[in-house]
Amino acid sequence: KGLIKFSKLIQVGNPDLVILFGDRFEIFSFAITSYFNNIPIIHIGGGDVSYGSIDEGLRHSISKLSYKHFVSNSLSKKRLLQLGENINNIHNVGSLSIENINKIKLMDKNSLEKNLKFKFLKTNLLISLHPSTIDNSYTMIEINELIYALNHFKDSLIIFTYPNADSGFSIIVKKINQFLKSNKNVHCFKSLGQTRYFSLMKYCDCIIGNSSSAILEAPSFDIGIVNIGKRQDGRLKSKNVIDCEPNNHKIIKSIKKSLKMNNKVKNPYYKTNTSDKIISNLLKIKYPINLKKKFYDI
């Protein structure tokens, strides 16, 4: 459906280039459509790795279809060079999402409590767990072990966000709803939006799960980070990220350790003026663009 509808959109709009952010399967369909219609692709966020999800293959595939790249760190730039991309078309500008955090007006604590209809407690835990798309049986293990571990934190406020729509998400949703019914200190939200989600990061003590947001954005909020399982394996991580196997005893231990740590760290994905650097570079492009792409051997 994406290929068909995006093809119609491109034929009507006839764009000079297409800018794609990230590595989701919806974006992949737009990349294929653009490539077959000879529309130059600008890819933001390529070169990262996350071995535990299908996003890994999609991200690198989009990069190979792309004309120009804006990456968030030097390791990602190096990986694109390994993929045979032209060094002159790879630009390390930092993360757009981190820059976005500094521009969003976050909600104050009282407003957030009224909006979400709960009261913060002494300890507040934000949970964001997505399916392990490489193996659904692993998803079942992760959510079961996490729920078991969270039973140990009865005096804490526990806030779940819904998993994304990857295969296996219904397994997580079912377990969350069961946990929700039997615990008054637990809340769950299907969609928070950026402002409320980032505001929660500001006032929570620890984010737990396997979301890329915990790796990319959370370090900017001085919040503890417990990364469960393999979904984010390979990503560049800040010093306060605690990697943890999906084992309830190890999860409990990691959360307790995180709550005692000094979580004021430097976010490795932050650079100044990210969007300005991207725009400045795009304005220098000369048309028509030569799309005869060469593989640059190392």
Side-chain angles (χ1 to χ4, degrees):
K1 289 182 179 178
L3 291 171
I4 293 168
K5 291 187 177 182
F6 289 144
S7 292
K8 292 179 180 177
L9 180 66
I10 281 178
Q11 288 168 11
V12 173
N14 191 28
D16 295 301
L17 52 80
V18 164
I19 302 174
L20 300 179
F21 182 91
D23 48 31
R24 297 289 299 159
F25 56 84
E26 310 94 315
I27 294 169
F28 184 49
S29 63
F30 210 137
I32 295 172
T33 305
S34 303
Y35 188 78
F36 273 86
N37 282 278
N38 293 316
I39 308 296
I41 299 170
I42 310 299
H43 189 205
I44 300 174
D48 288 354
V49 289
S50 54
Y51 303 134
S53 73
I54 61 170
D55 295 349
E56 170 80 356
L58 298 176
R59 184 186 310 111
H60 298 322
S61 297
I62 294 169
S63 290
K64 287 307 302 178
L65 300 177
S66 299
Y67 157 69
K68 189 179 282 286
H69 313 271
F70 294 100
V71 301
S72 62
N73 61 86
S74 58
L75 289 177
S76 293
K77 180 176 181 177
K78 184 178 179 181
R79 292 191 191 100
L80 289 182
L81 291 173
Q82 287 182 245
L83 286 174
E85 295 303 290
N86 184 348
I87 191 171
N88 295 321
N89 288 335
I90 309 171
H91 309 278
N92 180 9
V93 296
S95 170
L96 271 177
S97 58
I98 308 305
E99 181 184 64
N100 196 32
I101 289 171
N102 296 326
K103 294 181 178 181
I104 292 176
K105 184 178 180 181
L106 300 178
M107 301 173 71
D108 62 67
K109 199 170 186 178
N110 290 334
S111 298
L112 190 59
E113 287 179 328
K114 289 179 181 178
N115 187 280
L116 298 178
K117 299 178 181 178
F118 62 63
K119 286 286 185 181
F120 284 105
L121 300 178
K122 185 178 180 181
T123 303
N124 307 283
L125 307 176
L126 178 59
I127 317 298
S128 185
L129 187 79
H130 300 299
S132 179
T133 47
I134 300 299
D135 185 355
N136 276 345
S137 64
Y138 203 74
T139 297
M140 179 65 81
I141 294 171
E142 287 180 335
I143 187 61
N144 282 340
E145 293 296 316
L146 175 57
I147 293 293
Y148 198 96
L150 291 175
N151 276 305
H152 189 82
F153 297 89
K154 295 288 187 183
D155 296 328
S156 301
L157 177 68
I158 298 173
I159 306 158
F160 279 92
T161 63
Y162 253 45
N164 60 29
D166 287 339
S167 174
F169 83 99
S170 59
I171 297 171
I172 297 175
V173 171
K174 182 179 179 180
K175 291 293 181 179
I176 291 174
N177 288 332
Q178 290 173 351
F179 188 54
L180 191 64
K181 290 178 181 178
S182 56
N183 293 274
K184 293 183 179 180
N185 64 319
V186 179
H187 298 267
C188 181
F189 300 92
K190 290 184 178 181
S191 178
L192 286 163
Q194 274 194 346
T195 301
R196 293 192 299 178
Y197 183 63
F198 288 151
S199 297
L200 271 176
M201 279 193 188
K202 181 179 179 180
Y203 297 113
C204 283
D205 302 288
C206 184
I207 179 169
I208 304 154
N210 60 10
S211 172
S212 60
S213 64
I215 308 299
L216 298 172
E217 288 101 10
S220 295
F221 291 95
D222 303 331
I223 183 176
I225 303 161
V226 175
N227 176 54
I228 299 172
K230 300 178 179 180
R231 185 180 174 94
Q232 301 302 330
D233 278 3
R235 279 200 190 273
L236 175 66
K237 295 167 184 170
S238 60
K239 293 181 179 180
N240 65 328
V241 175
I242 299 176
D243 290 320
C244 180
E245 295 176 20
N247 171 282
N248 68 87
H249 297 293
K250 292 182 179 180
I251 294 172
I252 292 169
K253 185 178 179 180
S254 296
I255 294 173
K256 288 183 176 180
K257 179 181 177 181
S258 181
L259 292 173
K260 293 178 181 178
M261 286 173 58
N262 178 3
N263 289 304
K264 290 187 177 182
V265 296
K266 180 181 179 181
N267 193 324
Y269 293 94
Y270 173 72
K271 287 183 179 293
T272 59
N273 304 317
T274 298
S275 56
D276 287 341
K277 290 173 182 175
I278 294 174
I279 292 168
S280 176
N281 190 283
L282 293 180
L283 291 174
K284 295 177 183 177
I285 293 176
K286 296 180 179 180
Y287 297 92
I289 296 172
N290 183 1
L291 291 179
K292 290 182 179 179
K293 193 172 180 180
K294 177 182 176 182
F295 192 99
Y296 284 79
D297 293 303
I298 296 175

